[in-house]
Amino acid sequence: MKKSNLLKIGIITSSLLIALVGCGNKNSNSDTNSRVKTLVAATEGTTRPLEYMDDKGKLTGYEVEVLKAIDSELKDYKIDIQTTEFASIFTGIDSGRYQLGFNNISKTPEREEKYIFPKETHYYEPAGFFVRKGFLKEHPINSVEDLGGLKTVSNSKGDSWQLFVENYNKKYKNNPIKVKYSDQDWGTSYLQVYNGTIDILKGVESRLKMYEDEYNYKFDYVTLPQKDIEELGSPDHWFVFPKTSEGQKTADSFDKVIKKLRDNGTLTKLSIHFLGKDYSSKENYESK
């Protein structure tokens, strides 16, 4: 065979090898991309400063930005955040529509039976109680029992305030908190405390400052021994996952990243930015 023909064959063979290698690489990249699982995360998106729409209509807030930071660290997942009604967070997880939920969510025995909570919490803020200025002179509140007989309002979505009131009324049946259920927003409820229509709301320091700054509402803020409060409602808040093997796998991945973000100061930075103090963990909160 002539030398020129051999050279042509060599060139064609090399070209084929390059093409095959190229195809192999493309398939490898495609396989890698196909392994990235999309997690649809559900939140109500109306609990400022944790999750809310900013002036440009963009969803933000402490928990939203924590989730975005987690997303940037996870290589096997891509997180798609969607807004829905609070109750629909849980029904959506039940149906498989959502792979995780968040919205200032507390852990309860009933929820632990149905859902998976990661070991690492990303938000710890002890609760107190909002009352109008001057109310404590008329009705001192020195212990949790002093909440009995007070008027309040709650939604029926299963949020932390509803759970607290209902747990309280089960424990103190002889002198329960007088609760009226309503679908009104939190702004309306705080206005009712301010003008004396209701007596009390459970709340946190970060929200106290927000309502004072934005609406010029002035409240007295009551703190009680945390052991009494924690018995009726946890100060920790969580991301929540379906109780499946995949849900457990995802929660385990979140645990590693949340710990990393706490250790490198990301959670602290986000908490101070959105909440005014470091509420990223009990240890960080108590060390300040």
Side-chain angles (χ1 to χ4, degrees):
M1 186 178 292
K2 292 182 179 180
K3 189 173 183 180
S4 60
N5 289 338
L6 288 172
L7 182 60
K8 289 179 181 178
I9 292 172
I11 291 172
I12 293 170
T13 303
S14 298
S15 299
L16 287 172
L17 287 172
I18 292 171
L20 287 172
V21 170
C23 289
N25 287 340
K26 186 178 291 186
N27 289 338
S28 176
N29 289 336
S30 177
D31 290 343
T32 299
N33 291 335
S34 67
R35 287 197 296 268
V36 176
K37 181 178 176 61
T38 297
L39 301 175
V40 181
T43 184
E44 189 174 34
T46 60
T47 309
R48 192 170 184 173
L50 299 175
E51 44 273 321
Y52 64 96
M53 295 293 181
D54 65 15
D55 295 339
K56 297 180 180 178
K58 180 182 177 183
L59 186 66
T60 188
Y62 174 66
E63 287 195 296
V64 172
E65 299 306 323
V66 168
L67 191 57
K68 290 179 181 178
I70 292 172
D71 186 23
S72 68
E73 293 286 340
L74 292 174
K75 305 305 179 186
D76 297 331
Y77 299 102
K78 176 184 177 183
I79 300 176
D80 174 24
I81 304 175
Q82 298 182 7
T83 57
T84 187
E85 293 292 326
F86 184 84
S88 297
I89 295 172
F90 296 98
T91 57
I93 292 175
D94 294 342
S95 69
R97 179 176 182 179
Y98 306 129
Q99 286 71 57
L100 72 106
F102 68 102
N103 202 96
N104 196 27
I105 293 177
S106 300
K107 186 189 293 185
T108 67
E110 294 78 15
R111 286 176 179 168
E112 284 189 280
E113 287 182 5
K114 292 189 65 177
Y115 307 102
I116 290 174
F117 291 82
K119 296 175 184 176
E120 299 286 342
T121 181
H122 61 283
Y123 173 42
Y124 172 94
E125 186 169 8
F129 301 90
F130 294 80
V131 297
R132 62 177 169 78
K133 286 287 185 181
F135 180 82
L136 296 176
K137 294 180 180 178
E138 307 162 13
H139 189 108
I141 299 175
N142 299 311
S143 69
V144 70
E145 290 90 342
D146 293 331
L147 302 178
L150 299 184
K151 295 180 295 182
T152 193
V153 66
S154 172
N155 60 50
S156 56
K157 299 175 181 178
D159 66 11
S160 60
W161 178 225
Q162 178 191 352
L163 295 174
F164 180 92
V165 171
E166 292 178 354
N167 288 338
Y168 184 96
N169 288 350
K170 288 177 183 176
K171 184 172 182 179
Y172 301 100
K173 295 179 180 178
N174 294 330
N175 190 25
I177 295 172
K178 297 176 182 178
V179 58
K180 179 180 179 181
Y181 290 95
S182 170
D183 291 331
Q184 67 191 30
D185 60 30
W186 280 102
T188 301
S189 298
Y190 282 107
L191 175 60
Q192 289 178 335
V193 175
Y194 177 69
N195 64 28
T197 304
I198 60 175
D199 299 322
I200 194 167
L201 277 179
K202 178 170 171 276
V204 290
E205 287 179 305
S206 58
R207 202 162 299 161
L208 170 67
K209 185 177 187 304
M210 181 187 75
Y211 280 104
E212 288 187 340
D213 290 348
E214 290 196 9
Y215 299 102
N216 201 32
Y217 296 164
K218 301 299 180 183
F219 301 102
D220 282 329
Y221 188 69
V222 181
T223 57
L224 295 173
Q226 279 304 301
K227 63 180 180 62
D228 296 332
I229 303 304
E230 289 181 24
E231 184 180 344
L232 299 168
S234 171
D236 286 305
H237 300 85
W238 313 81
F239 297 112
V240 60
F241 304 87
K243 203 161 194 176
T244 62
S245 58
E246 188 62 35
Q248 185 63 66
K249 179 182 176 183
T250 309
D252 292 342
S253 297
F254 267 58
D255 274 328
K256 294 176 184 177
V257 176
I258 290 171
K259 186 177 186 307
K260 178 180 178 179
L261 295 176
R262 182 180 300 112
D263 291 345
N264 67 21
T266 299
L267 295 187
T268 293
K269 182 179 178 180
L270 289 172
S271 179
I272 291 173
H273 176 76
F274 285 100
L275 307 177
K277 292 183 182 179
D278 189 356
Y279 299 111
S280 60
S281 69
K282 182 176 182 179
E283 292 73 21
N284 288 354
Y285 174 82
E286 292 181 341
S287 67
K288 301 301 179 183

PDB file of all heavy atoms in Angstrom, residues 153-182:
ATOM      1  N   VAL A 153     -56.157  36.130  68.948  1.00  0.00           N
ATOM      2  CA  VAL A 153     -56.683  35.662  67.671  1.00  0.00           C
ATOM      3  C   VAL A 153     -55.637  34.747  67.050  1.00  0.00           C
ATOM      4  O   VAL A 153     -54.432  34.922  67.266  1.00  0.00           O
ATOM      5  CB  VAL A 153     -57.020  36.843  66.735  1.00  0.00           C
ATOM      6  CG1 VAL A 153     -55.753  37.596  66.337  1.00  0.00           C
ATOM      7  CG2 VAL A 153     -57.778  36.385  65.510  1.00  0.00           C
ATOM      8  N   SER A 154     -56.094  33.752  66.312  1.00  0.00           N
ATOM      9  CA  SER A 154     -55.176  32.833  65.650  1.00  0.00           C
ATOM     10  C   SER A 154     -55.787  32.381  64.336  1.00  0.00           C
ATOM     11  O   SER A 154     -57.013  32.311  64.196  1.00  0.00           O
ATOM     12  CB  SER A 154     -54.906  31.609  66.536  1.00  0.00           C
ATOM     13  OG  SER A 154     -54.172  30.624  65.830  1.00  0.00           O
ATOM     14  N   ASN A 155     -54.937  32.091  63.362  1.00  0.00           N
ATOM     15  CA  ASN A 155     -55.434  31.411  62.172  1.00  0.00           C
ATOM     16  C   ASN A 155     -55.573  29.922  62.491  1.00  0.00           C
ATOM     17  O   ASN A 155     -55.220  29.481  63.584  1.00  0.00           O
ATOM     18  CB  ASN A 155     -54.516  31.644  60.967  1.00  0.00           C
ATOM     19  CG  ASN A 155     -53.103  31.143  61.217  1.00  0.00           C
ATOM     20  OD1 ASN A 155     -52.907  30.018  61.644  1.00  0.00           O
ATOM     21  ND2 ASN A 155     -52.116  31.982  60.945  1.00  0.00           N
ATOM     22  N   SER A 156     -56.062  29.162  61.557  1.00  0.00           N
ATOM     23  CA  SER A 156     -56.230  27.714  61.779  1.00  0.00           C
ATOM     24  C   SER A 156     -55.359  26.930  60.817  1.00  0.00           C
ATOM     25  O   SER A 156     -55.715  25.839  60.371  1.00  0.00           O
ATOM     26  CB  SER A 156     -57.704  27.327  61.599  1.00  0.00           C
ATOM     27  OG  SER A 156     -58.171  27.726  60.325  1.00  0.00           O
ATOM     28  N   LYS A 157     -54.185  27.485  60.495  1.00  0.00           N
ATOM     29  CA  LYS A 157     -53.297  26.868  59.510  1.00  0.00           C
ATOM     30  C   LYS A 157     -52.318  25.882  60.130  1.00  0.00           C
ATOM     31  O   LYS A 157     -51.595  25.197  59.416  1.00  0.00           O
ATOM     32  CB  LYS A 157     -52.503  27.958  58.777  1.00  0.00           C
ATOM     33  CG  LYS A 157     -53.369  28.952  58.008  1.00  0.00           C
ATOM     34  CD  LYS A 157     -52.511  30.047  57.418  1.00  0.00           C
ATOM     35  CE  LYS A 157     -53.337  31.075  56.656  1.00  0.00           C
ATOM     36  NZ  LYS A 157     -52.492  32.164  56.113  1.00  0.00           N
ATOM     37  N   GLY A 158     -52.271  25.843  61.456  1.00  0.00           N
ATOM     38  CA  GLY A 158     -51.320  24.955  62.109  1.00  0.00           C
ATOM     39  C   GLY A 158     -49.976  25.587  62.363  1.00  0.00           C
ATOM     40  O   GLY A 158     -48.968  24.882  62.518  1.00  0.00           O
ATOM     41  N   ASP A 159     -49.918  26.930  62.429  1.00  0.00           N
ATOM     42  CA  ASP A 159     -48.638  27.582  62.688  1.00  0.00           C
ATOM     43  C   ASP A 159     -48.297  27.527  64.173  1.00  0.00           C
ATOM     44  O   ASP A 159     -49.037  26.981  64.995  1.00  0.00           O
ATOM     45  CB  ASP A 159     -48.633  29.014  62.158  1.00  0.00           C
ATOM     46  CG  ASP A 159     -49.610  29.931  62.886  1.00  0.00           C
ATOM     47  OD1 ASP A 159     -50.152  29.542  63.934  1.00  0.00           O
ATOM     48  OD2 ASP A 159     -49.834  31.052  62.387  1.00  0.00           O
ATOM     49  N   SER A 160     -47.129  28.083  64.538  1.00  0.00           N
ATOM     50  CA  SER A 160     -46.617  27.914  65.891  1.00  0.00           C
ATOM     51  C   SER A 160     -47.498  28.574  66.946  1.00  0.00           C
ATOM     52  O   SER A 160     -47.609  28.071  68.070  1.00  0.00           O
ATOM     53  CB  SER A 160     -45.191  28.479  65.986  1.00  0.00           C
ATOM     54  OG  SER A 160     -45.162  29.854  65.661  1.00  0.00           O
ATOM     55  N   TRP A 161     -48.156  29.693  66.618  1.00  0.00           N
ATOM     56  CA  TRP A 161     -49.021  30.362  67.593  1.00  0.00           C
ATOM     57  C   TRP A 161     -50.276  29.546  67.859  1.00  0.00           C
ATOM     58  O   TRP A 161     -50.687  29.366  69.003  1.00  0.00           O
ATOM     59  CB  TRP A 161     -49.377  31.761  67.106  1.00  0.00           C
ATOM     60  CG  TRP A 161     -50.302  32.556  68.001  1.00  0.00           C
ATOM     61  CD1 TRP A 161     -51.375  33.283  67.604  1.00  0.00           C
ATOM     62  CD2 TRP A 161     -50.220  32.748  69.430  1.00  0.00           C
ATOM     63  NE1 TRP A 161     -51.971  33.903  68.680  1.00  0.00           N
ATOM     64  CE2 TRP A 161     -51.273  33.593  69.819  1.00  0.00           C
ATOM     65  CE3 TRP A 161     -49.353  32.275  70.409  1.00  0.00           C
ATOM     66  CZ2 TRP A 161     -51.506  33.973  71.137  1.00  0.00           C
ATOM     67  CZ3 TRP A 161     -49.576  32.653  71.736  1.00  0.00           C
ATOM     68  CH2 TRP A 161     -50.638  33.495  72.080  1.00  0.00           C
ATOM     69  N   GLN A 162     -50.888  29.022  66.819  1.00  0.00           N
ATOM     70  CA  GLN A 162     -52.059  28.172  66.998  1.00  0.00           C
ATOM     71  C   GLN A 162     -51.704  26.954  67.856  1.00  0.00           C
ATOM     72  O   GLN A 162     -52.441  26.589  68.780  1.00  0.00           O
ATOM     73  CB  GLN A 162     -52.608  27.697  65.652  1.00  0.00           C
ATOM     74  CG  GLN A 162     -53.819  26.767  65.804  1.00  0.00           C
ATOM     75  CD  GLN A 162     -54.205  26.075  64.522  1.00  0.00           C
ATOM     76  OE1 GLN A 162     -53.684  26.376  63.451  1.00  0.00           O
ATOM     77  NE2 GLN A 162     -55.106  25.114  64.610  1.00  0.00           N
ATOM     78  N   LEU A 163     -50.560  26.329  67.557  1.00  0.00           N
ATOM     79  CA  LEU A 163     -50.150  25.144  68.312  1.00  0.00           C
ATOM     80  C   LEU A 163     -49.902  25.494  69.772  1.00  0.00           C
ATOM     81  O   LEU A 163     -50.261  24.731  70.678  1.00  0.00           O
ATOM     82  CB  LEU A 163     -48.892  24.537  67.684  1.00  0.00           C
ATOM     83  CG  LEU A 163     -49.048  23.972  66.273  1.00  0.00           C
ATOM     84  CD1 LEU A 163     -47.701  23.544  65.719  1.00  0.00           C
ATOM     85  CD2 LEU A 163     -50.029  22.806  66.266  1.00  0.00           C
ATOM     86  N   PHE A 164     -49.285  26.660  70.012  1.00  0.00           N
ATOM     87  CA  PHE A 164     -49.020  27.078  71.386  1.00  0.00           C
ATOM     88  C   PHE A 164     -50.325  27.260  72.154  1.00  0.00           C
ATOM     89  O   PHE A 164     -50.484  26.759  73.273  1.00  0.00           O
ATOM     90  CB  PHE A 164     -48.225  28.383  71.392  1.00  0.00           C
ATOM     91  CG  PHE A 164     -47.910  28.885  72.777  1.00  0.00           C
ATOM     92  CD1 PHE A 164     -46.730  28.531  73.398  1.00  0.00           C
ATOM     93  CD2 PHE A 164     -48.798  29.712  73.464  1.00  0.00           C
ATOM     94  CE1 PHE A 164     -46.429  28.991  74.685  1.00  0.00           C
ATOM     95  CE2 PHE A 164     -48.511  30.165  74.739  1.00  0.00           C
ATOM     96  CZ  PHE A 164     -47.332  29.802  75.350  1.00  0.00           C
ATOM     97  N   VAL A 165     -51.277  28.002  71.560  1.00  0.00           N
ATOM     98  CA  VAL A 165     -52.550  28.275  72.238  1.00  0.00           C
ATOM     99  C   VAL A 165     -53.292  26.972  72.525  1.00  0.00           C
ATOM    100  O   VAL A 165     -53.813  26.761  73.640  1.00  0.00           O
ATOM    101  CB  VAL A 165     -53.428  29.219  71.395  1.00  0.00           C
ATOM    102  CG1 VAL A 165     -54.828  29.320  71.985  1.00  0.00           C
ATOM    103  CG2 VAL A 165     -52.794  30.608  71.319  1.00  0.00           C
ATOM    104  N   GLU A 166     -53.334  26.090  71.558  1.00  0.00           N
ATOM    105  CA  GLU A 166     -54.083  24.848  71.745  1.00  0.00           C
ATOM    106  C   GLU A 166     -53.404  23.932  72.763  1.00  0.00           C
ATOM    107  O   GLU A 166     -54.078  23.267  73.563  1.00  0.00           O
ATOM    108  CB  GLU A 166     -54.281  24.158  70.395  1.00  0.00           C
ATOM    109  CG  GLU A 166     -55.219  24.962  69.493  1.00  0.00           C
ATOM    110  CD  GLU A 166     -55.419  24.353  68.119  1.00  0.00           C
ATOM    111  OE1 GLU A 166     -54.731  23.353  67.803  1.00  0.00           O
ATOM    112  OE2 GLU A 166     -56.264  24.875  67.353  1.00  0.00           O
ATOM    113  N   ASN A 167     -52.073  23.904  72.759  1.00  0.00           N
ATOM    114  CA  ASN A 167     -51.367  23.135  73.782  1.00  0.00           C
ATOM    115  C   ASN A 167     -51.587  23.733  75.164  1.00  0.00           C
ATOM    116  O   ASN A 167     -51.754  23.008  76.154  1.00  0.00           O
ATOM    117  CB  ASN A 167     -49.868  23.081  73.471  1.00  0.00           C
ATOM    118  CG  ASN A 167     -49.551  22.178  72.295  1.00  0.00           C
ATOM    119  OD1 ASN A 167     -50.325  21.291  71.961  1.00  0.00           O
ATOM    120  ND2 ASN A 167     -48.413  22.413  71.668  1.00  0.00           N
ATOM    121  N   TYR A 168     -51.585  25.063  75.234  1.00  0.00           N
ATOM    122  CA  TYR A 168     -51.831  25.747  76.500  1.00  0.00           C
ATOM    123  C   TYR A 168     -53.221  25.404  77.033  1.00  0.00           C
ATOM    124  O   TYR A 168     -53.397  25.081  78.215  1.00  0.00           O
ATOM    125  CB  TYR A 168     -51.703  27.263  76.309  1.00  0.00           C
ATOM    126  CG  TYR A 168     -51.856  28.055  77.592  1.00  0.00           C
ATOM    127  CD1 TYR A 168     -50.733  28.454  78.313  1.00  0.00           C
ATOM    128  CD2 TYR A 168     -53.114  28.401  78.087  1.00  0.00           C
ATOM    129  CE1 TYR A 168     -50.867  29.171  79.506  1.00  0.00           C
ATOM    130  CE2 TYR A 168     -53.258  29.116  79.267  1.00  0.00           C
ATOM    131  CZ  TYR A 168     -52.123  29.492  79.963  1.00  0.00           C
ATOM    132  OH  TYR A 168     -52.261  30.189  81.152  1.00  0.00           O
ATOM    133  N   ASN A 169     -54.212  25.475  76.177  1.00  0.00           N
ATOM    134  CA  ASN A 169     -55.587  25.248  76.610  1.00  0.00           C
ATOM    135  C   ASN A 169     -55.853  23.798  77.004  1.00  0.00           C
ATOM    136  O   ASN A 169     -56.744  23.511  77.809  1.00  0.00           O
ATOM    137  CB  ASN A 169     -56.563  25.702  75.522  1.00  0.00           C
ATOM    138  CG  ASN A 169     -56.609  27.215  75.415  1.00  0.00           C
ATOM    139  OD1 ASN A 169     -56.071  27.931  76.250  1.00  0.00           O
ATOM    140  ND2 ASN A 169     -57.241  27.720  74.358  1.00  0.00           N
ATOM    141  N   LYS A 170     -55.084  22.884  76.449  1.00  0.00           N
ATOM    142  CA  LYS A 170     -55.175  21.492  76.893  1.00  0.00           C
ATOM    143  C   LYS A 170     -54.590  21.333  78.295  1.00  0.00           C
ATOM    144  O   LYS A 170     -55.107  20.568  79.115  1.00  0.00           O
ATOM    145  CB  LYS A 170     -54.420  20.581  75.917  1.00  0.00           C
ATOM    146  CG  LYS A 170     -55.091  20.397  74.579  1.00  0.00           C
ATOM    147  CD  LYS A 170     -54.232  19.534  73.668  1.00  0.00           C
ATOM    148  CE  LYS A 170     -54.851  19.408  72.288  1.00  0.00           C
ATOM    149  NZ  LYS A 170     -53.963  18.637  71.361  1.00  0.00           N
ATOM    150  N   LYS A 171     -53.504  22.048  78.553  1.00  0.00           N
ATOM    151  CA  LYS A 171     -52.840  21.927  79.849  1.00  0.00           C
ATOM    152  C   LYS A 171     -53.564  22.700  80.932  1.00  0.00           C
ATOM    153  O   LYS A 171     -53.653  22.254  82.081  1.00  0.00           O
ATOM    154  CB  LYS A 171     -51.388  22.416  79.733  1.00  0.00           C
ATOM    155  CG  LYS A 171     -50.598  22.236  81.019  1.00  0.00           C
ATOM    156  CD  LYS A 171     -49.124  22.547  80.813  1.00  0.00           C
ATOM    157  CE  LYS A 171     -48.349  22.299  82.103  1.00  0.00           C
ATOM    158  NZ  LYS A 171     -46.902  22.566  81.924  1.00  0.00           N
ATOM    159  N   TYR A 172     -54.091  23.871  80.591  1.00  0.00           N
ATOM    160  CA  TYR A 172     -54.756  24.730  81.580  1.00  0.00           C
ATOM    161  C   TYR A 172     -56.243  24.849  81.226  1.00  0.00           C
ATOM    162  O   TYR A 172     -56.734  25.922  80.877  1.00  0.00           O
ATOM    163  CB  TYR A 172     -54.085  26.101  81.624  1.00  0.00           C
ATOM    164  CG  TYR A 172     -52.615  26.048  81.982  1.00  0.00           C
ATOM    165  CD1 TYR A 172     -51.642  26.127  80.984  1.00  0.00           C
ATOM    166  CD2 TYR A 172     -52.205  25.900  83.300  1.00  0.00           C
ATOM    167  CE1 TYR A 172     -50.292  26.067  81.299  1.00  0.00           C
ATOM    168  CE2 TYR A 172     -50.853  25.844  83.633  1.00  0.00           C
ATOM    169  CZ  TYR A 172     -49.907  25.920  82.625  1.00  0.00           C
ATOM    170  OH  TYR A 172     -48.569  25.855  82.954  1.00  0.00           O
ATOM    171  N   LYS A 173     -56.923  23.741  81.334  1.00  0.00           N
ATOM    172  CA  LYS A 173     -58.332  23.691  80.928  1.00  0.00           C
ATOM    173  C   LYS A 173     -59.230  24.578  81.774  1.00  0.00           C
ATOM    174  O   LYS A 173     -60.263  25.058  81.308  1.00  0.00           O
ATOM    175  CB  LYS A 173     -58.835  22.239  81.007  1.00  0.00           C
ATOM    176  CG  LYS A 173     -58.154  21.299  80.021  1.00  0.00           C
ATOM    177  CD  LYS A 173     -58.686  19.882  80.169  1.00  0.00           C
ATOM    178  CE  LYS A 173     -58.003  18.931  79.196  1.00  0.00           C
ATOM    179  NZ  LYS A 173     -58.485  17.534  79.354  1.00  0.00           N
ATOM    180  N   ASN A 174     -58.859  24.800  83.033  1.00  0.00           N
ATOM    181  CA  ASN A 174     -59.706  25.591  83.928  1.00  0.00           C
ATOM    182  C   ASN A 174     -59.610  27.091  83.677  1.00  0.00           C
ATOM    183  O   ASN A 174     -60.480  27.854  84.121  1.00  0.00           O
ATOM    184  CB  ASN A 174     -59.362  25.291  85.397  1.00  0.00           C
ATOM    185  CG  ASN A 174     -59.706  23.857  85.783  1.00  0.00           C
ATOM    186  OD1 ASN A 174     -60.637  23.273  85.226  1.00  0.00           O
ATOM    187  ND2 ASN A 174     -58.957  23.296  86.725  1.00  0.00           N
ATOM    188  N   ASN A 175     -58.552  27.508  82.994  1.00  0.00           N
ATOM    189  CA  ASN A 175     -58.393  28.934  82.712  1.00  0.00           C
ATOM    190  C   ASN A 175     -57.660  29.105  81.382  1.00  0.00           C
ATOM    191  O   ASN A 175     -56.505  29.538  81.328  1.00  0.00           O
ATOM    192  CB  ASN A 175     -57.622  29.627  83.841  1.00  0.00           C
ATOM    193  CG  ASN A 175     -57.647  31.144  83.705  1.00  0.00           C
ATOM    194  OD1 ASN A 175     -58.554  31.720  83.098  1.00  0.00           O
ATOM    195  ND2 ASN A 175     -56.649  31.795  84.270  1.00  0.00           N
ATOM    196  N   PRO A 176     -58.322  28.783  80.284  1.00  0.00           N
ATOM    197  CA  PRO A 176     -57.653  28.805  78.979  1.00  0.00           C
ATOM    198  C   PRO A 176     -57.498  30.213  78.416  1.00  0.00           C
ATOM    199  O   PRO A 176     -58.136  31.163  78.864  1.00  0.00           O
ATOM    200  CB  PRO A 176     -58.605  27.985  78.101  1.00  0.00           C
ATOM    201  CG  PRO A 176     -59.951  28.246  78.704  1.00  0.00           C
ATOM    202  CD  PRO A 176     -59.723  28.345  80.194  1.00  0.00           C
ATOM    203  N   ILE A 177     -56.643  30.337  77.421  1.00  0.00           N
ATOM    204  CA  ILE A 177     -56.565  31.548  76.618  1.00  0.00           C
ATOM    205  C   ILE A 177     -57.825  31.612  75.751  1.00  0.00           C
ATOM    206  O   ILE A 177     -58.231  30.618  75.157  1.00  0.00           O
ATOM    207  CB  ILE A 177     -55.305  31.534  75.725  1.00  0.00           C
ATOM    208  CG1 ILE A 177     -54.038  31.571  76.590  1.00  0.00           C
ATOM    209  CG2 ILE A 177     -55.310  32.713  74.755  1.00  0.00           C
ATOM    210  CD1 ILE A 177     -52.744  31.368  75.798  1.00  0.00           C
ATOM    211  N   LYS A 178     -58.433  32.778  75.678  1.00  0.00           N
ATOM    212  CA  LYS A 178     -59.652  32.939  74.874  1.00  0.00           C
ATOM    213  C   LYS A 178     -59.255  33.259  73.435  1.00  0.00           C
ATOM    214  O   LYS A 178     -58.790  34.353  73.144  1.00  0.00           O
ATOM    215  CB  LYS A 178     -60.510  34.066  75.449  1.00  0.00           C
ATOM    216  CG  LYS A 178     -61.000  33.787  76.871  1.00  0.00           C
ATOM    217  CD  LYS A 178     -61.769  34.985  77.430  1.00  0.00           C
ATOM    218  CE  LYS A 178     -62.226  34.723  78.862  1.00  0.00           C
ATOM    219  NZ  LYS A 178     -62.929  35.910  79.444  1.00  0.00           N
ATOM    220  N   VAL A 179     -59.425  32.282  72.554  1.00  0.00           N
ATOM    221  CA  VAL A 179     -58.944  32.420  71.191  1.00  0.00           C
ATOM    222  C   VAL A 179     -60.096  32.493  70.190  1.00  0.00           C
ATOM    223  O   VAL A 179     -61.073  31.761  70.296  1.00  0.00           O
ATOM    224  CB  VAL A 179     -57.990  31.258  70.823  1.00  0.00           C
ATOM    225  CG1 VAL A 179     -58.676  29.907  70.986  1.00  0.00           C
ATOM    226  CG2 VAL A 179     -57.442  31.433  69.412  1.00  0.00           C
ATOM    227  N   LYS A 180     -59.968  33.405  69.247  1.00  0.00           N
ATOM    228  CA  LYS A 180     -60.897  33.511  68.128  1.00  0.00           C
ATOM    229  C   LYS A 180     -60.100  33.217  66.863  1.00  0.00           C
ATOM    230  O   LYS A 180     -59.019  33.758  66.651  1.00  0.00           O
ATOM    231  CB  LYS A 180     -61.487  34.921  68.048  1.00  0.00           C
ATOM    232  CG  LYS A 180     -62.444  35.114  66.883  1.00  0.00           C
ATOM    233  CD  LYS A 180     -63.005  36.539  66.867  1.00  0.00           C
ATOM    234  CE  LYS A 180     -63.942  36.734  65.679  1.00  0.00           C
ATOM    235  NZ  LYS A 180     -64.480  38.127  65.636  1.00  0.00           N
ATOM    236  N   TYR A 181     -60.640  32.342  66.013  1.00  0.00           N
ATOM    237  CA  TYR A 181     -59.936  31.962  64.799  1.00  0.00           C
ATOM    238  C   TYR A 181     -60.327  32.884  63.639  1.00  0.00           C
ATOM    239  O   TYR A 181     -61.492  33.223  63.474  1.00  0.00           O
ATOM    240  CB  TYR A 181     -60.216  30.503  64.446  1.00  0.00           C
ATOM    241  CG  TYR A 181     -59.572  29.548  65.423  1.00  0.00           C
ATOM    242  CD1 TYR A 181     -60.291  29.036  66.503  1.00  0.00           C
ATOM    243  CD2 TYR A 181     -58.235  29.193  65.297  1.00  0.00           C
ATOM    244  CE1 TYR A 181     -59.698  28.175  67.409  1.00  0.00           C
ATOM    245  CE2 TYR A 181     -57.626  28.346  66.211  1.00  0.00           C
ATOM    246  CZ  TYR A 181     -58.363  27.837  67.257  1.00  0.00           C
ATOM    247  OH  TYR A 181     -57.764  26.999  68.174  1.00  0.00           O
ATOM    248  N   SER A 182     -59.316  33.262  62.868  1.00  0.00           N
ATOM    249  CA  SER A 182     -59.540  34.183  61.759  1.00  0.00           C
ATOM    250  C   SER A 182     -58.459  33.957  60.705  1.00  0.00           C
ATOM    251  O   SER A 182     -57.342  33.538  61.028  1.00  0.00           O
ATOM    252  CB  SER A 182     -59.486  35.628  62.247  1.00  0.00           C
ATOM    253  OG  SER A 182     -59.472  36.530  61.166  1.00  0.00           O
TER     254      SER A 182
END
